[in-house]
Amino acid sequence: MSIQDIHSLFLQCSSLSIDTRKIEKGSMFFAIKGENFDANTFAEEALKLGALFVVIDNESYWIDERTILVKNSLETLQELAKFHRQYLKLPIVALTGSNGKTTTKELINVVLSKKYKTKATVGNLNNHIGVPLTLLSFTKETEIGIVEMGANHKKEIEFLCEIAQPDFGYITNFGKAHLEGFGGVQGVIEGKSEMYQYLAKNDKVVFVNLEDPIQVEKSNGIEKFTFGVSNASADLSIKSIEANPFVVIDYNSFVIKSHLIGLYNANNINAAVSIGKYFKVDDEAIKEAIENYIPANNRSQLLNKGSNQIILDAYNANPSSMAVAITNFLQLDNKNKVMILGDMFELGEESHQEHKAIVDSLSNQEVSVCYLIGKDFYNNKIEKSNIQFFETFEAFSDYLKTIHFNNNTILIKGSRGMALERTLEFIS
């Protein structure tokens, strides 16, 4: 069966799923193999749950005419997504970067949705499976698609761009994330810049932060829309930025008071405003969209528990995002500051050095109490009165049962695998 024929059947369906636990009646089910399971075995169950068609790549699980047998289900999903993107012909904004992708994507979505019918990547479905699923969620009613792209090795962004074929692109930054897969910071820069190369090759548009010299260099020769602080040459010039703790940005014509914490979120807002301006969204609509955006999912959330104010940023962490979070936290006027920081993952051979750099930076500050959790931090243990190390979260949680936080401002940050949001259970 050709991809065009499969697409015709897909258009008869209400949705597409790769998980029988989330099957909707009238959907199309793709049996994608995982490391520890063969989803072909769920094909019959998917039909019983209401799927109209199932796509399989193992003929042993053929059921009836509702079964579509292909050579490779994952590759067919990717081909179908590319075909669907060409079928819709809608403008697509893609973004990648080391830090801030998901927050920026959410901000772009709320801004553009003030004028257009938009659809964006749900959560962080931003890989070789998530991007196709995002594209296949777009319909004839979608006026602008917003696609987040993640990567942990070179050539991945190039591959995702070939599927999504974006018309516009933005790279949030080039930081120390997924160093193990990229082989170092230079590898990160080369990998993320694959988006620029695609956009240049296809005469498309990039959004560029003029404060970032790498963005400026790598986007040279590409049509662009720029933003910068007090930069007369920028398409959008920002007058001033403050964060204590919420980000407030003055764009000369209007001031935006966000619910986002930390100066590191300023460029996420700036990018969303720039893209809104490019697509001619009204200034007041942009302001309303950003001021009404409330972060969730452990991303720069400001919470109150008892007498304590908590900055919960436990969704993810890498050396770049950890450093700016610490710097921003130390600049706050608040007293009685506490940092609860967890290990940073996927750093490969750089792990010891990067954790040591964070410990060294903390050793020079006296204004806050620091709790460092995880084996990598523990292996860089130092003797300092205001810094304590715990090899496991269990050891830290046992300690938490013996103390009580009162009138503290607390930063909680670590990689997703550390699940440091569990700390909230011990703060009252």
Side-chain angles (χ1 to χ4, degrees):
M1 184 178 290
S2 71
I3 201 69
Q4 185 172 357
D5 291 333
I6 296 174
H7 186 255
S8 296
L9 296 177
F10 165 72
L11 293 179
Q12 298 175 30
C13 299
S14 58
S15 61
L16 185 145
S17 176
I18 61 170
D19 187 341
T20 52
R21 294 168 298 182
K22 300 176 182 178
I23 284 282
E24 296 178 4
K25 191 172 183 179
S27 65
M28 174 177 277
F29 173 73
F30 265 77
I32 307 294
K33 294 187 183 74
E35 289 184 9
N36 301 311
F37 65 91
D38 181 357
N40 286 286
T41 62
F42 298 110
E44 186 174 2
E45 180 184 354
L47 290 173
K48 289 179 180 177
L49 290 170
L52 286 183
F53 303 100
V54 293
V55 178
I56 64 170
D57 54 13
N58 186 333
E59 61 183 353
S60 300
Y61 296 95
W62 171 272
I63 301 156
D64 53 33
E65 68 281 354
R66 296 171 296 172
T67 311
I68 303 167
L69 179 63
V70 299
K71 184 177 180 180
N72 183 295
S73 293
L74 175 57
E75 291 178 1
T76 301
L77 178 73
Q78 293 163 343
E79 291 171 14
L80 179 64
K82 185 174 181 178
F83 187 93
H84 187 60
R85 189 267 178 273
Q86 294 166 342
Y87 165 78
L88 291 176
K89 295 182 173 61
L90 78 166
I92 286 182
V93 179
L95 69 155
T96 189
S98 298
N99 308 311
K101 292 187 296 295
T102 300
T103 297
T104 305
K105 176 257 301 180
E106 296 292 338
L107 289 169
I108 294 169
N109 191 29
V110 296
V111 167
L112 292 182
S113 66
K114 287 292 183 179
K115 182 175 180 180
Y116 304 93
K117 292 179 181 177
T118 64
K119 204 149 195 182
T121 300
V122 175
N124 65 339
L125 288 173
N126 59 19
N127 64 4
H128 63 296
I129 297 175
V131 167
L133 291 176
T134 298
L135 294 169
L136 290 164
S137 72
F138 299 161
T139 69
K140 282 289 189 181
E141 285 67 49
T142 308
E143 294 178 317
I144 298 178
I146 303 158
V147 179
E148 178 182 334
M149 297 180 180
N152 56 22
H153 58 269
K154 294 180 186 178
K155 298 298 181 182
E156 193 167 4
I157 295 300
E158 176 184 299
F159 178 72
L160 296 177
C161 282
E162 290 296 336
I163 295 174
Q165 301 169 34
D167 303 284
F168 307 90
Y170 175 62
I171 300 177
T172 59
N173 46 50
F174 303 89
K176 296 178 178 180
H178 303 295
L179 295 181
E180 186 173 18
F182 280 110
V185 175
Q186 187 57 41
V188 172
I189 294 171
E190 292 173 6
K192 301 297 183 182
S193 294
E194 290 164 10
M195 179 176 287
Y196 286 148
Q197 293 161 15
Y198 175 87
L199 295 166
K201 182 175 65 176
N202 292 278
D203 298 319
K204 303 299 184 180
V205 178
V206 296
F207 297 95
V208 176
N209 175 11
L210 295 182
E211 307 301 309
D212 184 340
I214 304 176
Q215 288 190 42
V216 173
E217 176 195 349
K218 294 297 183 180
S219 64
N220 187 40
I222 312 174
E223 183 181 348
K224 59 180 70 71
F225 188 93
T226 62
F227 63 87
V229 179
S230 300
N231 191 325
S233 66
D235 293 297
L236 176 69
S237 181
I238 298 105
K239 182 178 179 182
S240 66
I241 302 171
E242 299 176 10
N244 194 33
F246 295 116
V247 181
V248 178
I249 298 179
D250 185 346
Y251 293 99
N252 293 326
S253 60
F254 60 104
V255 175
I256 295 177
K257 299 178 181 179
S258 79
H259 288 279
L260 288 164
I261 297 166
L263 286 172
Y264 52 90
N265 270 311
N267 284 329
N268 301 337
I269 299 171
N270 294 338
V273 173
S274 297
I275 293 171
K277 298 281 278 186
Y278 181 90
F279 283 96
K280 296 181 170 46
V281 180
D282 180 75
D283 284 351
E284 287 301 322
I286 293 174
K287 175 182 171 72
E288 181 182 13
I290 293 175
E291 291 190 339
N292 288 337
Y293 173 73
I294 308 294
N297 299 325
N298 304 324
R299 300 175 189 272
S300 298
Q301 289 179 262
L302 188 66
L303 309 173
N304 291 293
K305 290 205 73 176
S307 61
N308 303 291
Q309 187 178 64
I310 301 166
I311 299 172
L312 180 62
D313 195 7
Y315 185 81
N316 217 337
N318 58 56
S320 301
S321 65
M322 184 72 82
V324 294
I326 291 170
T327 299
N328 182 78
F329 186 70
L330 292 175
Q331 291 173 345
L332 298 180
D333 294 334
N334 311 48
K335 296 179 180 179
N336 303 323
K337 287 186 277 195
V338 175
M339 283 187 267
I340 299 172
L341 310 177
D343 277 354
M344 304 170 289
F345 296 163
E346 295 185 61
L347 298 180
E349 295 178 358
E350 307 282 336
S351 186
H352 180 79
Q353 176 184 333
E354 294 296 344
H355 283 87
K356 183 179 186 300
I358 296 294
V359 172
D360 290 344
S361 70
L362 293 172
S363 69
N364 296 320
Q365 64 85 27
E366 305 288 344
V367 299
S368 70
V369 175
C370 305
Y371 300 110
L372 303 183
I373 303 105
K375 291 181 180 179
D376 289 306
F377 273 132
Y378 193 82
N379 289 336
N380 286 281
K381 187 176 180 181
I382 61 172
E383 295 296 328
K384 199 164 190 301
S385 60
N386 65 328
I387 304 179
Q388 295 189 49
F389 294 80
F390 299 87
E391 191 169 7
T392 64
F393 182 82
E394 288 67 32
F396 180 54
S397 63
D398 287 341
Y399 172 78
L400 287 176
K401 295 171 186 175
T402 69
I403 64 171
H404 182 70
F405 293 109
N406 189 38
N407 293 315
N408 293 117
T409 301
I410 305 170
L411 170 65
I412 302 175
K413 186 168 182 64
S415 280
R416 181 84 299 271
M418 293 298 298
L420 286 187
E421 65 275 9
R422 293 177 288 174
T423 304
L424 296 177
E425 301 172 18
F426 303 93
I427 300 175
S428 58

